[in-house]
Amino acid sequence: MSDHAHSTTGLVHHFDDIEQQHEAGTLGMWAFLITEVLFFGGLFGAYAVYRSAYPEAFMRASSHLDVDLGGVNTIVLICSSLTMALSVYAAQKGSKRGIIMGLLGTMFFGAIFLGVKVIEYKDKWDHHLVPGDNFIFEGNPGGPEQLYFALYFAMTGVHAFHMIVGMVIICWMIKKAHRGDFTPGHHPLVENFGLYWHFVDIVWIFLFPLLYLIGAHSGSHT
Amino acid sequence: MAAHSVPLKIYYGVFLALCVLTFLTVWTAKHDYGLLNTPIALSIAGLKGALVILFFMHVKYSSKLTQLFAFAGFFWLALLLVFTLQDYWTRDMLNVYFFKPH
Amino acid sequence: MSSTLHTPAQHASATKGAKERDTYLTADYGWKSWLFTVDHKRIAVLYLISIMVFFLIGGTFALLMRAELMTAKGDLFEAETYNKLFTMHGVVMIFFFLIPSIPAVLGNFLVPIMIGTKDLAFPKINLLSWYIYLVGGGATLYVAITGGLDTGWTFYAPYSSTYANTNVAAAAIAVFITGFSSILTGLNFIVTIHKMRAPGMTWFRMPLFLWAQYATSLIMILGTPVLAITVMLLALERTFHIGIFDPALGGDPVLFQHLFWFYSHPAVYIMILPGMGVISEIVACFSRKRMFGYHFIAFSSLAIAIFGFVVWGHHMFVSGQSAYAGFVFSFLTMLVAIPSAVKVFNWIATLYKGQVSLETPMLYALGFIGLFTIGGVTGLFLAVMGLDRHVHDTYFVVAHFHYVMVGGMVMAFMGGMHFWWSKMFGRKYPEAMGQFAAVVIFVGFNFTFFPQFILGYMGMPRRYHQYNDEFTALNVLSSAGATILGTGFLMTIVYFLWSLKWGQKAPQNQWDAKGLEWEKAQSPPPTFNFEDGERIVVTEDAYAYTYEESHTGSGHEVKK
């Protein structure tokens, strides 16, 4: 294993061997993901506080989201996670084509997700549901419903920002994969980026029920 | 360790499970279980998250250290939530209400 | 981009005369070799220079405040100006001096050497963290120049989000940015300590400085992101008025305090834990003894890091949190005193029957132990809800945290700088001057801050530019002390700079100390820390000082 690893390029001088380097990279990625959990955690904390304070208002506000679009986007993001996992699998097997196909798939589903998100944001804007001076909820300004939408935009906005960053990195990785930078024993970038992408998926897995589904049983929306 | 490769059928199996659970959570959300609505939704989400972490992120096959790190983030998130909510959920103990219903 | 980054090895000794050994300082010249360096030691020096700039800025704000408080009337500054002074003093000192001080300077320099490796795990990320720090610092200076900030360093809503007329959004962004520098440093240390230790360097052979750095890094990566999201929400609230912290729209200002203190209380431990690590190194070296209770000190660092996360509510006893939450946070706060006390008692036990010598670092270490104990015990006063009600927002609190932050962390930083100065720069500082300055700083510190305990207990509120006449005498005393304290710091900076050029050349092991940085690395170390090609293998525990063994008069059984 390590003999094989030594023969590949990419060992940075201050590591003893490629295995140590990979382990350090993976651990660093996990440490970074911990910070990401806590970063979103502040928003989830604010959500928990305000939802427990205003359960009815949150349900009312939530029923203005489109469950179907949210559900479709959930499936789309799960698809992108699958293609990402397949890309990592291909990297382990040394299939350059597999890596690139997986990344392109991830990119494709990511773009669909963001496109749907744009439609949803536009709809909220048209219905004066964007927090701020223009906010009107069923004829009233401000109030706890606005808190819901503030959190909705903060949480989905930060999430979408992570996806955009991810897609920029995918472009760069496709270029590198095309150049043949990833070998079966040395593809830490693909592996660690995979962790990042799956993490972003997990955030959405929680956002979907917390934002879209809490009012679903109380009747349909506009 | 990190090079451990997971069989493809596990990826597809997890993918299918995630899709099924998504439909399940939408379906349950359209019914009213009273106080249980949120616990049910969060349990399903937690299960989905666990599937992604364990299989897509390979934590099931990773070192103890990675598993500890994966756990630590959520543990600290729990600290944040629990110790914030233990304030909010006990505000009315002395008949002091901070959130008046609108 | 990556092509412009210098690999540290760039110039081997081939380009230089054989007579002069290459050190990390002389391996390469020119500003590019510094600004694009990935050598952890050079980055430590860059950090040292930058935090000293901010220390002088923050110190100037402090002296201006003490000048205003010389008299009971508000005659030197407007109230608004004074508000900006204490806010900028707090923001600059906490985010740009205290938090990066020991981790980013001494930690950056020493962590790889102490574990016997060539560099941190992610050298480029290390450099990136310094640049992020500079951007954050630049943004803060921009805020200071364009009207300042008057919210206090705590940014409490709704004042900050709705009413303040100063540039809160820009300041929030500055703090947001700076946070990432801290996260990257912490991440680097954690991975380095986990994955890069030399063969034989087991966890329980690590110097306690590393345990402290590890615990600090945990707080940095777990807490800082929450601060980032909190100030982001604050900036959103301030800019778009979305109601998150505005009671008129259903929001709750207390939520800001919860989220803010979830980071900012553990941040207090970011500031003190590395200092405790430094003190452990110094106490062992200048007692010539093994550390008493090594495992207890090591685990107490972790215990502080973990418990420190669940005590934040003690800042909010009078903010309207529930009585139950106050009770829980009060109880947990008292628990944190245990690991802190474990450290203090173990240091004292290490001193006991040791061969104590009083060079400058040891003077600072002893100062630390005393002052930190006072600061810690007065913290327990504040953990008691009933007493906190009386002294909350008074000078008692101000005195308490300055005893911990200045009496603790700054003393430790000074001690550490003196201890490792010759390692960093290859020259000795003038010892007699060092001892004199240490005494001046100690005396000045106590004159400055001890009167503030009394003032606070008498009821003088913090954050006012004027006060009742009966507080005058103690305030004058405090301001006089601040002058002495400032003089002490200036003296130190002057002789440190002097020694860079004219100081006596230092041997490899100035203190005859144990530890890889003394026994295996030259002063100053070469770019890769150790002799070319030497793979460090560790075979003994930390602090293998032999005084106990050789000194049978101690009355104890000699340990084998």
Side-chain angles (χ1 to χ4, degrees):
Chain A
M1 160 81 202
S2 66
D3 280 347
H4 168 69
H6 273 297
S7 66
T8 60
T9 53
L11 176 64
V12 185
H13 72 93
H14 60 284
F15 291 105
D16 290 338
D17 52 40
I18 204 84
E19 198 171 345
Q20 184 193 32
Q21 184 179 333
H22 284 174
E23 284 179 10
T26 306
L27 193 67
M29 194 63 211
W30 276 103
F32 174 72
L33 291 183
I34 288 180
T35 70
E36 288 280 22
V37 171
L38 272 299
F39 188 73
F40 281 99
L43 291 170
F44 279 100
Y47 174 90
V49 165
Y50 289 134
R51 180 164 167 208
S52 67
Y54 308 113
E56 267 88 37
F58 267 48
M59 270 160 60
R60 276 197 304 276
S62 168
S63 66
H64 284 252
L65 296 192
D66 190 328
V67 176
D68 295 337
L69 283 183
V72 166
N73 250 356
T74 309
I75 299 289
V76 164
L77 212 49
I78 291 171
C79 290
S80 82
S81 251
L82 176 70
T83 52
M84 191 63 233
L86 294 178
S87 181
V88 175
Y89 180 83
Q92 287 164 347
K93 297 287 175 223
S95 158
K96 182 170 141 182
R97 189 169 165 277
I99 299 176
I100 294 178
M101 290 304 288
L103 289 176
L104 282 175
T106 309
M107 187 93 168
F108 171 74
F109 289 116
I112 292 184
F113 181 94
L114 289 175
V116 171
K117 213 70 227 150
V118 168
I119 295 172
E120 289 188 87
Y121 280 180
K122 169 91 173 35
D123 177 73
K124 301 296 161 291
W125 176 261
D126 291 344
H127 289 90
H128 294 278
L129 292 176
V130 178
D133 294 339
N134 289 324
F135 185 86
I136 299 170
F137 185 83
E138 293 171 0
N140 303 311
E145 291 86 0
Q146 179 175 254
L147 283 180
Y148 169 86
F149 279 101
L151 287 167
Y152 166 78
F153 278 101
M155 292 167 113
T156 58
V158 173
H159 178 261
F161 175 77
H162 278 80
M163 292 197 58
I164 293 167
V165 171
M167 287 167 71
V168 171
I169 298 174
I170 289 181
C171 291
W172 176 57
M173 279 166 53
I174 290 176
K175 203 178 118 200
K176 279 175 79 78
H178 194 69
R179 238 174 22 206
D181 283 2
F182 304 125
T183 55
H186 186 70
H187 51 274
L189 188 62
V190 185
E191 201 131 336
N192 290 335
F193 178 79
L195 295 178
Y196 172 83
W197 193 265
H198 295 312
F199 168 79
V200 174
D201 186 20
I202 292 172
V203 173
W204 183 260
I205 283 175
F206 282 91
L207 288 182
F208 174 58
L210 289 177
L211 292 174
Y212 286 78
L213 298 181
I214 55 177
H217 58 79
S218 62
S220 64
H221 58 87
T222 51
Chain B
M1 251 177 290
H4 189 291
S5 126
V6 182
L8 273 183
K9 65 176 182 204
I10 287 190
Y11 285 142
Y12 289 118
V14 169
F15 170 74
L16 273 183
L18 290 173
C19 291
V20 169
L21 287 171
T22 303
F23 284 108
L24 183 67
T25 192
V26 173
W27 184 79
T28 55
K30 293 195 168 157
H31 298 74
D32 195 351
Y33 303 100
L35 280 177
L36 287 178
N37 283 334
T38 309
I40 290 174
L42 282 179
S43 305
I44 296 177
L47 185 58
K48 288 165 76 181
L51 285 174
V52 174
I53 292 175
L54 288 176
F55 296 102
F56 281 176
M57 296 170 91
H58 306 155
V59 167
K60 187 175 188 307
Y61 313 100
S62 299
S63 65
K64 285 265 182 323
L65 184 63
T66 307
Q67 293 175 344
L68 181 68
F69 270 51
F71 171 77
F74 293 99
F75 178 75
W76 252 266
L77 175 60
L79 288 185
L80 170 65
L81 296 177
V82 167
F83 279 86
T84 304
L85 290 174
Q86 59 127 10
D87 166 24
Y88 284 93
W89 289 0
T90 56
R91 285 280 176 90
D92 51 0
M93 268 173 56
L94 300 176
N95 291 326
V96 185
Y97 294 91
F98 283 85
F99 288 109
K100 297 189 187 68
H102 277 245
Chain C
M1 169 75 193
S2 60
S3 61
T4 59
L5 289 168
H6 288 230
T7 50
Q10 219 166 35
H11 295 292
S13 47
T15 56
K16 305 203 62 179
K19 60 180 166 55
E20 193 86 12
R21 185 177 61 85
D22 249 342
T23 71
Y24 79 99
L25 292 167
T26 59
D28 203 352
Y29 294 96
W31 60 272
K32 274 188 185 167
S33 77
W34 282 90
L35 292 185
F36 298 113
T37 183
V38 288
D39 181 350
H40 65 102
K41 298 179 290 300
R42 286 194 164 204
I43 295 170
V45 174
L46 292 175
Y47 258 117
L48 176 62
I49 296 165
S50 5
I51 68 163
M52 285 325 290
V53 170
F54 282 102
F55 179 70
L56 291 175
I57 294 172
T60 309
F61 289 137
L63 289 176
L64 290 173
M65 278 150 66
R66 282 320 316 172
E68 164 63 62
L69 295 172
M70 290 278 283
T71 56
K73 286 202 195 69
D75 38 16
L76 191 53
F77 299 115
E78 300 279 317
E80 286 77 13
T81 314
Y82 184 81
N83 292 349
K84 289 173 184 172
L85 282 177
F86 73 68
T87 301
M88 293 313 292
H89 169 71
V91 169
V92 166
M93 283 300 204
I94 287 171
F95 293 113
F96 297 97
F97 173 69
L98 285 168
I99 287 179
S101 62
I102 291 184
V105 178
L106 293 173
N108 248 335
F109 195 93
L110 291 167
V111 166
I113 306 183
M114 279 184 165
I115 64 171
T117 185
K118 291 176 188 167
D119 207 326
L120 288 171
F122 310 115
K124 289 180 192 170
I125 287 180
N126 197 19
L127 180 65
L128 178 65
S129 101
W130 181 68
Y131 276 104
I132 294 175
Y133 170 89
L134 279 196
V135 173
T140 306
L141 293 182
Y142 164 80
V143 170
I145 292 164
T146 58
L149 178 72
D150 66 344
T151 61
W153 80 276
T154 48
F155 292 101
Y156 268 15
Y159 180 71
S160 60
S161 54
T162 310
Y163 303 105
N165 289 320
T166 47
N167 206 348
V168 180
I173 290 167
V175 170
F176 182 88
I177 295 170
T178 314
F180 285 94
S181 131
S182 176
I183 289 174
L184 293 180
T185 302
L187 192 150
N188 228 331
F189 285 0
I190 285 182
V191 174
T192 306
I193 292 175
H194 266 293
K195 290 293 173 194
M196 311 273 294
R197 279 171 288 126
M201 176 59 88
T202 60
W203 281 89
F204 294 110
R205 280 180 180 164
M206 291 200 315
L208 290 164
F209 180 75
L210 294 176
W211 278 95
Q213 287 296 343
Y214 184 80
T216 309
S217 306
L218 282 182
I219 304 176
M220 283 172 161
I221 69 163
L222 289 163
T224 318
V226 177
L227 176 75
I229 201 75
T230 310
V231 293
M232 194 193 90
L233 285 175
L234 177 66
L236 283 177
E237 166 80 49
R238 170 115 189 144
T239 317
F240 301 109
H241 205 65
I242 54 178
I244 291 264
F245 301 126
D246 184 355
L249 296 173
D252 181 19
V254 178
L255 178 65
F256 176 85
Q257 297 186 22
H258 273 299
L259 294 175
F260 178 82
W261 288 116
F262 180 83
Y263 165 75
S264 294
H265 190 75
V268 171
Y269 300 108
I270 294 182
M271 298 179 233
I272 195 69
L273 269 171
M276 292 167 158
V278 169
I279 298 307
S280 297
E281 300 298 312
I282 296 176
V283 165
C285 174
F286 292 93
S287 307
R288 323 302 311 168
K289 269 178 69 183
R290 281 174 198 277
M291 207 63 208
F292 186 90
Y294 171 94
H295 289 80
F296 279 91
I297 299 190
F299 282 115
S300 66
S301 288
L302 291 183
I304 288 174
I306 294 166
F307 278 115
F309 267 100
V310 289
V311 300
W312 77 78
H314 64 222
H315 294 272
M316 300 163 58
F317 286 153
V318 298
S319 299
Q321 84 183 341
S322 77
Y324 169 80
F327 163 75
V328 170
F329 282 127
S330 173
F331 175 72
L332 290 170
T333 303
M334 301 208 187
L335 286 189
V336 180
I338 296 170
S340 310
V342 162
K343 283 178 188 289
V344 170
F345 289 131
N346 278 309
W347 291 324
I348 293 173
T350 306
L351 292 171
Y352 178 68
K353 292 198 172 168
Q355 190 186 24
V356 176
S357 59
L358 296 176
E359 280 92 352
T360 314
M362 189 60 161
L363 290 179
Y364 280 110
L366 295 177
F368 175 100
I369 295 174
L371 300 177
F372 170 74
T373 303
I374 295 176
V377 170
T378 50
L380 284 179
F381 291 27
L382 295 167
V384 180
M385 277 190 281
L387 190 54
D388 183 68
R389 186 132 193 128
H390 174 59
V391 293
H392 186 88
D393 261 349
T394 67
Y395 266 82
F396 190 87
V397 178
V398 175
H400 154 68
F401 67 70
H402 279 91
Y403 262 77
V404 178
M405 297 292 101
V406 184
M409 184 62 164
V410 178
M411 293 295 160
F413 179 66
M414 298 293 280
M417 285 310 297
H418 285 86
F419 188 51
W420 284 295
W421 184 257
S422 67
K423 184 53 63 185
M424 293 179 85
F425 298 107
R427 304 253 180 191
K428 290 182 182 175
Y429 63 87
E431 183 60 43
M433 282 292 281
Q435 288 169 327
F436 179 63
V439 173
V440 169
I441 288 176
F442 183 82
V443 170
F445 172 82
N446 281 294
F447 271 119
T448 311
F449 293 107
F450 200 82
Q452 297 184 2
F453 277 126
I454 306 167
L455 284 170
Y457 216 79
M458 289 163 72
M460 177 174 166
R462 65 194 279 205
R463 294 182 168 176
Y464 283 85
H465 74 311
Q466 56 190 12
Y467 48 83
N468 296 351
D469 285 334
E470 75 246 36
F471 300 132
T472 307
L474 286 167
N475 268 300
V476 169
L477 191 58
S478 178
S479 293
T483 321
I484 302 174
L485 184 60
T487 313
F489 284 130
L490 278 183
M491 277 167 56
T492 313
I493 292 171
V494 168
Y495 71 69
F496 266 154
L497 290 175
W498 175 88
S499 77
L500 284 179
K501 180 109 176 110
W502 294 284
Q504 194 190 342
K505 283 235 161 122
Q508 174 172 330
N509 193 346
Q510 184 188 356
W511 309 111
D512 201 14
K514 298 290 178 181
L516 292 180
E517 83 273 28
W518 297 110
E519 293 173 297
K520 297 284 187 183
Q522 289 175 299
S523 308
T527 301
F528 289 138
N529 298 339
F530 306 105
E531 287 301 308
D532 278 346
E534 183 182 1
R535 190 68 189 96
I536 298 296
V537 177
V538 181
T539 52
E540 59 180 11
D541 290 351
Y543 314 115
Y545 294 103
T546 51
Y547 178 68
E548 253 176 325
E549 281 83 346
S550 64
H551 194 76
T552 47
S554 66
H556 289 277
E557 280 300 305
V558 178
K559 272 202 294 190
K560 282 276 148 31

